[in-house]
Amino acid sequence: MKKIIYFFVLSFWAISLSAQDKMYTTYDELMRDGGDVVTTLNKSKRSKNQIYLSPGADYEIYSKGNKALTKYLKKRCYAVRLNDTIYVNCKQLKYKKYRFGNWYAQAEIIGGNVYFQAQPLGQIATSTLVPKEGSKLGGAVGDAINASGLDAKVYYVINPSTGLADFVGKEMMSKLLSSNPVLLEEFSNENSERADVIGKYLQQLR
């Protein structure tokens, strides 16, 4: 009986550890899963109105009742892990000369690289589709959101050498799939570089 109880205690302890939230200061710290364990982080998804009025990524990460920690999360933290999901701080990232703005974007580590979803910037933005839900917002704000394509997302990968983000489009995805002729042929028939399309093939690289 004691062995059974001991087993369940160990199992609960292991689950608790795996569910702990973490903050990462650098890219290297994120990749080796170093960082600091925290228990006071909160997440909220920003509305389309908020994104329109204050451009940036989709998620706000903060700490209720701890202004100092919230300030650190906004300005200096590189990434966080909440419930096994990674979020990177877009304030720390750029694509070429373009900045992603503030707030956090959901990310994944695939094949030793960090991929995240964000709004298309620069020339990439020309292929952005009209948002699916923008029309549900009435008035001037709804019209503006419809025009700006806030729902459209594409994938970027963080370049560890430069610290910048590279666009994951047709060219890069084709190189990533070069060792899998079947998937490469399937991908060659795609006509979109949106996150929902690229993400489908990125998952095959796990």
Side-chain angles (χ1 to χ4, degrees), residues 102-113:
N102 297 322
W103 319 108
Y104 283 75
Q106 187 170 328
E108 300 173 84
I109 297 178
I110 301 173
N113 293 298

Side-chain angles (χ1 to χ4, degrees), residues 20 31 36:
Q20 286 179 325
M31 293 305 291
D36 298 314

